[in-house]
Amino acid sequence: MLGAAFYRGSADIDVHAVHRGYLRLFKARKGTIATEARVIELQRKGDAWAVTTEQDTVRAKIVINAAGAWAGEIGKLAEAIDVGVQPMKRTVCLIEQPAGRSADLWPMVFDVEERFYLKPDAGMLLLSPCDETVTDPCDAQADELDIAIAVDRVESATTLQVKRIAHKWAGLRSFVKDRSPVVGYDPYRPGFFWLAALGGYGIQTAPALSRLAASLVLGPEVDSHPVPAGVAVAALSPDQIYVRRSRAVSSPEAMRAIASIWLA
């Protein structure tokens, strides 16, 4: 028995353009970006933090831990609560469109068990086996076996025949046990703020979650945007992490609600 569902309400975003836009806004507001500056020490001194990197030491009253797959490592350096951040590798590749046909207007395709996804991307087709390989924080690289699995799955489920892999890469998605974000001050380390475990929704939820983080750090007067329905701010806090684990709470509805207001 075969079947399919087609939803017209979904949309895609240009991740590169959004990211570059954020960087431009950050620099316009006199923000400073330091690269090649791995954090090697975090110490609480008086009412402030001393953040020592491979370049120098920066002092601040508040440290926001938005280190992605490395958020757990930064938490350890700060001797903060262990929220259980786990990086997982996701593999992606680009394949050619069918010969003589344009797939630019094809919809994004998932199989019902989410064992692969396929979507148009810059004149090609982007394919992933939807892998979630547990790993340490690292510079993730695509594995040939994962690519082969993706190709086998899409060829088995469709009439596509993959002739060549044009490009391949991998990235890290970070989760805690209940797959909800962790946003809020650490219960044990004053001035240490978590903004972590965004899973595969980081760029989509960044505007909404950064608004939430800003309101918690700087006060609600910085943003009057309402919290979306279904999002319990207190439940995202690091001091609720053990309650969340024990109840095995999962909140995909909350993630969708956060993502839905990304350009509101």
Side-chain angles (χ1 to χ4, degrees):
M1 184 175 180
L2 300 175
F6 179 52
Y7 178 61
R8 294 182 180 274
S10 61
D12 203 356
I13 60 175
D14 187 330
V15 172
H16 178 73
V18 171
H19 186 245
R20 297 299 300 178
Y22 288 160
L23 291 177
R24 286 194 297 271
L25 288 171
F26 184 71
K27 291 178 180 178
R29 288 160 171 75
K30 310 302 181 183
T32 300
I33 297 174
T35 59
E36 303 296 330
R38 183 174 64 92
V39 176
I40 56 179
E41 186 176 56
L42 267 167
Q43 287 189 327
R44 182 75 179 175
K45 295 184 177 181
D47 63 348
W49 286 92
V51 183
T52 302
T53 74
E54 292 178 333
Q55 292 184 356
D56 56 13
T57 297
V58 179
R59 290 174 174 79
K61 289 188 175 181
I62 297 171
V63 170
I64 298 178
N65 181 11
W70 283 263
E73 303 302 310
I74 295 297
K76 290 177 183 176
L77 287 176
E79 298 182 343
I81 188 174
D82 180 9
V83 299
V85 175
Q86 177 59 66
M88 295 184 179
K89 187 176 75 169
R90 170 60 56 92
T91 305
V92 183
C93 65
L94 288 176
I95 61 176
E96 295 176 341
Q97 297 185 6
R101 299 181 61 184
S102 173
D104 291 345
L105 298 181
W106 285 11
M108 185 175 187
V109 177
F110 283 86
D111 74 310
V112 69
E113 296 178 330
E114 203 165 318
R115 298 171 67 245
F116 76 88
Y117 73 77
L118 179 78
K119 69 172 185 175
D121 186 272
M124 306 197 79
L125 291 171
L126 186 149
L127 171 64
S128 172
C130 296
D131 51 325
E132 291 186 344
T133 305
V134 173
T135 183
D136 293 329
C138 64
D139 180 12
Q141 301 295 318
D143 186 275
E144 293 292 344
L145 177 59
D146 292 326
I147 297 296
I149 289 172
V151 170
D152 178 70
R153 288 175 178 174
V154 76
E155 289 186 337
S156 297
T158 72
T159 59
L160 288 173
Q161 294 295 310
V162 178
K163 304 297 185 182
R164 182 175 70 90
I165 303 298
H167 186 52
K168 60 184 178 181
W169 69 96
L172 299 181
R173 309 157 88 239
S174 299
F175 299 91
V176 291
K177 188 172 182 180
D178 69 356
R179 295 194 166 223
S180 290
V182 179
V183 185
Y185 279 107
D186 191 273
Y188 303 127
R189 304 297 281 160
F192 189 83
F193 189 93
W194 289 86
L195 182 54
L198 306 189
Y201 301 93
I203 198 70
Q204 292 168 278
T205 60
L209 284 178
S210 61
R211 284 172 176 162
L212 174 60
S215 68
L216 294 174
V217 172
L218 302 174
E221 65 275 4
V222 302
D223 192 353
S224 60
H225 197 286
V227 175
V231 179
V233 176
L236 304 180
S237 175
D239 61 8
Q240 289 293 306
I241 196 69
Y242 295 112
V243 175
R244 288 163 54 176
R245 286 180 186 172
S246 64
R247 293 179 180 174
V249 176
S250 181
S251 55
E253 295 83 4
M255 291 301 295
R256 286 195 291 269
I258 292 171
S260 71
I261 65 166
W262 80 278
L263 273 182

